[in-house]
Amino acid sequence: MKKQTKKYAFILLIIFANGYAQTKKHLDVNKPIEDRISLLMKEMTLEEKVGQMNQYNGSWDVTGPKPESGTNEEKYNNIKKGWVGSMLTVRGVKEVRAVQKIAVEETRLGIPLIFGFDVIHGYKTISPIPLAEAASWDLDAIKNSARIAAVEASASGLNWTFAPNVDISNDARWGRVMEGAGEDPYLGSKIATARVKGFQGENFDNTSIIACAKHFAAYGFVEAGREYNSVDMSNSKLYNTVLPPFKAAVDAGIRTFMNSFNTLNGVPATGNSFLQRDILKGAWGFKGFVVSDWASIGEMITHGYAADGADAAKKAAIAGSDMDMESNVYVTELVKLVKNGVVKESVVDDAVRRILRVKFELGLFDNPYKYCDEAREISDIGNKANNDGVLDMAKKSIVLLKNDKNLLPLKKEGIKIALIGALAKDKNSPLGSWRIAADDNTAVSVLEGMQQYKNNILVYEKGTDVATNKQLFVDEVKINTTDFSGFEAAKKAAKNAEVVVMVLGEIGYQSGEARSRTELGLPGNQQQLLEEVYKVNPNIVLVLNNGRPLALPWAAANIPAIVEAWQLGTQSGNAIAQVLYGDYNPSGKLTMSFPRNVGQCPIYYNLYNTGRPTDKDQNVFWSHYSDVEKTPLYPFGYGLSYTSFAYKNLKIAKPSFQKNEKIEVSVDVTNTGNFDGKEVVQLYINDVAASIVRPVKELKGFELVTLKKGETKTIKFTITDAELGFYDNEGKFLIESGVFNVMVGWNSNEGLTGKFELK
């Protein structure tokens, strides 16, 4: 009898093993990925397919005991059933391994999870905010910054970031301008490419993470700059300004997109098939997957576009939103919708295939614990190389806005300096608002950076607090407008100093998501402090710490030196001190125009001409303001250096060209000052007459060139059909004959000009 039992047991074992082998054919590394996906999907139930479209936030101690009740218990149980495709905010090798183990070893099919996190401009070691990085115009440095972030995040078990934000925006009221590259689609496209390649690397080894282009689409044009607001724009603006950086991200090989909170043409982006099906997955051939923004599928009910959760799930899935971030409507509604014939199973299959494809490309099926290396978690996070990298990025991001009488760089010995402003001692605000993995108060402050220079006398006074509360998750940041108690001490320090360095601006949580502003001056009573100090000592260097363009007309008119230092991350104070003392010659250029006042917003360089652009008739009837100039305070592309540059000999190879012919443009640039330095040489074109009105100027090339003092270099640009063309209102790319103006210069307002004809 025992022999019979053993025999039957052996037979059952063979049958089970054969069945197991059948269900595990997708693990054969010799098969093409598409075949492996198909094999796996044949084994999946409808519930397991829909589960792949479900992303949960890991809001409980995932390494602790099983949750006993409520939402977390449901999430835990769904992971065990294989009804979850991705986890959000679960980080740390121990935590990731614990959750991945459930998905891989305790579910029927063992499909691994993707672990996502907001790695926006650094993980533990924080780089400058993206708007600051863009001001460097240094694509290699920007790519390296993303690489540092990827290395640290992946060492903590993560394999997906919700970055880069490639939203073009020209409205400084919108807090999320700090996440993007500014107002220009050409530069934005180049930076999108650099950041995607930095995050994703070359071959998805265990130091690379998936990038996610967001927010698709037009989120940067929310009305009145108010977060989560509606968007209403022309097709011309959509195709020519909004979409190019997203297309560049696709061309760079990005694997995921995130849709946006706003409506477009009256339809929430999350349920917008025109964006997701027609353009992204259709015309562009995108093979990755689309994730919703936080709960944005459910928010379509609040928009008034969906009647309830089931209707929202239906509309989002059909429109092409592949994964539901924290709305929980796919996992609760989509199976019923398919079984009732409301949503075709092919819609689900398309989404699941896209999600599985990314998991296979990451290598998670071959090694689910690929990102769970405890040794890397120690060696690759916060090390010297990473800090050196973000310091380099921070220095390159600083923009010198004004330097009358060469007040900068500061002398390194023999002078007394008064350092004033709460932000000068702040070790948290330089980290910005998207720094959720960083430890509090880990930035190098300006005070600490300047203290490294020992041969001057440095006296610090706070002067005034910017805000009375400095937390992220509060109703609003409360700004200090009533406490003037530190003014007298600050004025006394300034009066007794040769040079005053004032660090003013925004705290870290005054820009970012949900941080829209209707006043763009210095918050609180900082402007009053600046003016009071100026009365006793006008020899002021104003250092700005901020996440958006500010309106500073008084400072621009009165303060001799102004340094735009943004929120520069972990090494902020060291970077600022090295620039102030001349150990690094600033080379940054603005990528968003600075308004004279908030009433000019939105303001941008690549605007369209009106029928009455100038004061031709010397009367009131032309396009202008009656109370302020219509030009920006500081334009796109603007930035000074401690040296000076001269532009000469703009040459266009010949006066006319045929389509498909390369147009060669050159200019001589000479360093005429007393310091070695870098200059961003910028090329702009203007299509004089076209079937759709074109901007007065469009950036179509730039070169970051290093010149020793006295050195001259000839900078060459090649203009092709790609730079000359534009999209019509149906999204068709056109290259039209006619006259084109060319400007090569040092910002969007100034340069040498020429023209050519395209026949």
Side-chain angles (χ1 to χ4, degrees), residues 76-326:
Y76 176 85
N77 290 336
N78 282 348
I79 294 172
K80 293 200 73 170
K81 288 188 287 188
W83 291 5
V84 181
S86 171
M87 291 297 291
L88 168 67
T89 72
V90 176
R91 61 188 177 94
V93 167
K94 179 182 176 183
E95 291 78 4
V96 168
R97 182 182 291 277
V99 182
Q100 191 74 290
K101 188 175 188 297
I102 298 170
V104 172
E105 300 180 27
E106 299 183 37
T107 63
R108 190 176 74 89
L109 295 175
I111 300 174
L113 299 167
I114 307 175
F115 292 85
F117 196 71
D118 285 298
V119 186
I120 306 302
H121 54 101
Y123 181 68
K124 185 75 72 172
T125 308
I126 304 297
S127 288
I129 60 172
L131 183 62
E133 290 191 353
S136 74
W137 298 60
D138 189 326
L139 300 178
D140 288 337
I142 293 170
K143 178 181 176 182
N144 185 58
S145 173
R147 181 100 287 271
I148 292 169
V151 167
E152 288 202 349
S154 62
S156 192
L158 299 166
N159 44 39
W160 186 15
T161 177
F162 304 117
N165 179 332
V166 300
D167 294 323
I168 298 300
S169 185
N170 49 37
D171 195 334
R173 293 173 296 180
W174 190 48
R176 297 191 85 162
V177 297
M178 56 77 64
E179 278 188 67
E183 68 192 46
D184 182 76
Y186 178 86
L187 179 61
S189 297
K190 299 291 186 184
I191 291 174
T193 298
R195 298 199 76 205
V196 169
K197 291 185 175 180
F199 284 130
Q200 294 192 166
E202 298 298 325
N203 55 6
F204 281 123
D205 62 17
N206 69 342
T207 67
S208 300
I209 59 179
I210 307 164
C212 182
K214 66 182 189 184
H215 304 85
F216 197 62
Y219 196 25
F221 289 86
V222 285
E223 291 181 353
R226 179 160 56 85
E227 191 70 79
Y228 315 122
N229 207 0
S230 303
V231 171
D232 195 0
M233 64 164 50
S234 68
N235 278 358
S236 178
K237 178 75 76 174
L238 179 69
Y239 283 117
N240 290 290
T241 301
V242 170
L243 294 182
F246 288 101
K247 178 60 164 59
V250 172
D251 292 341
I254 200 165
R255 296 308 199 270
T256 65
F257 264 54
M258 178 184 287
N259 49 45
S260 53
F261 288 118
N262 58 278
T263 56
L264 182 68
N265 295 327
V267 179
T270 308
N272 199 310
S273 60
F274 166 66
L275 288 173
Q276 296 172 122
R277 294 285 185 200
D278 297 348
I279 295 177
L280 179 60
K281 297 177 180 179
W284 295 353
F286 176 63
K287 299 300 183 185
F289 70 86
V290 179
V291 63
S292 77
D293 208 334
W294 185 285
S296 68
I297 297 178
E299 288 178 12
M300 293 198 298
I301 303 169
T302 310
H303 275 293
Y305 184 69
D308 52 28
D311 194 31
K314 177 191 76 172
K315 288 178 174 176
I318 291 173
S321 290
D322 302 310
M323 183 177 284
D324 174 11
M325 180 193 288
E326 274 294 301

Side-chain angles (χ1 to χ4, degrees), residues 557-744:
N558 293 283
I559 302 302
I562 304 175
V563 176
E564 177 51 84
W566 312 105
Q567 290 155 354
L568 292 177
T570 303
Q571 289 292 322
S572 178
N574 286 333
I576 292 169
Q578 288 177 32
V579 166
L580 293 180
Y581 275 108
D583 286 338
Y584 188 87
N585 188 352
S587 57
K589 303 273 189 176
L590 298 178
T591 62
M592 281 192 76
S593 303
F594 275 44
R596 298 176 186 275
N597 60 42
V598 73
Q600 289 185 312
C601 292
I603 188 167
Y604 48 101
Y605 88 92
N606 49 353
L607 69 162
Y608 302 117
N609 253 333
T610 67
R612 298 181 181 183
T614 58
D615 185 13
K616 292 179 180 178
D617 301 322
Q618 299 296 315
N619 60 34
V620 73
F621 301 106
W622 61 291
S623 180
H624 70 298
Y625 297 106
S626 60
D627 58 350
V628 72
E629 291 183 46
K630 67 178 183 178
T631 57
L633 182 64
Y634 296 111
F636 176 88
Y638 178 87
L640 304 176
S641 169
Y642 293 151
T643 191
S644 56
F645 300 96
Y647 286 62
K648 291 182 179 179
N649 301 324
L650 175 66
K651 295 179 182 178
I652 302 172
K654 55 184 181 178
S656 64
F657 298 85
Q658 301 293 324
K659 289 182 183 178
N660 299 318
E661 191 176 358
K662 292 181 179 179
I663 299 161
E664 304 294 339
V665 178
S666 64
V667 67
D668 294 337
V669 182
T670 302
N671 183 340
T672 56
N674 296 319
F675 296 85
D676 297 344
K678 289 188 288 188
E679 172 73 336
V680 181
V681 184
Q682 303 159 46
L683 179 141
Y684 298 85
I685 68 167
N686 161 243
D687 191 342
V688 174
S691 57
I692 293 176
V693 170
R694 304 305 305 134
V696 295
K697 248 171 228 159
E698 295 180 90
L699 180 73
K700 293 297 180 181
F702 64 90
E703 187 76 27
L704 180 60
V705 57
T706 300
L707 293 168
K708 297 184 180 300
K709 60 181 181 179
E711 183 181 10
T712 298
K713 287 184 180 179
T714 299
I715 309 303
K716 297 180 179 180
F717 296 98
T718 300
I719 303 172
T720 69
D721 288 354
E723 288 75 44
L724 296 175
F726 61 91
Y727 292 94
D728 67 12
N729 289 330
E730 283 70 51
K732 181 181 178 183
F733 193 70
L734 306 177
I735 300 134
E736 296 182 341
S737 58
V739 175
F740 289 80
N741 294 322
V742 176
M743 187 190 86
V744 178

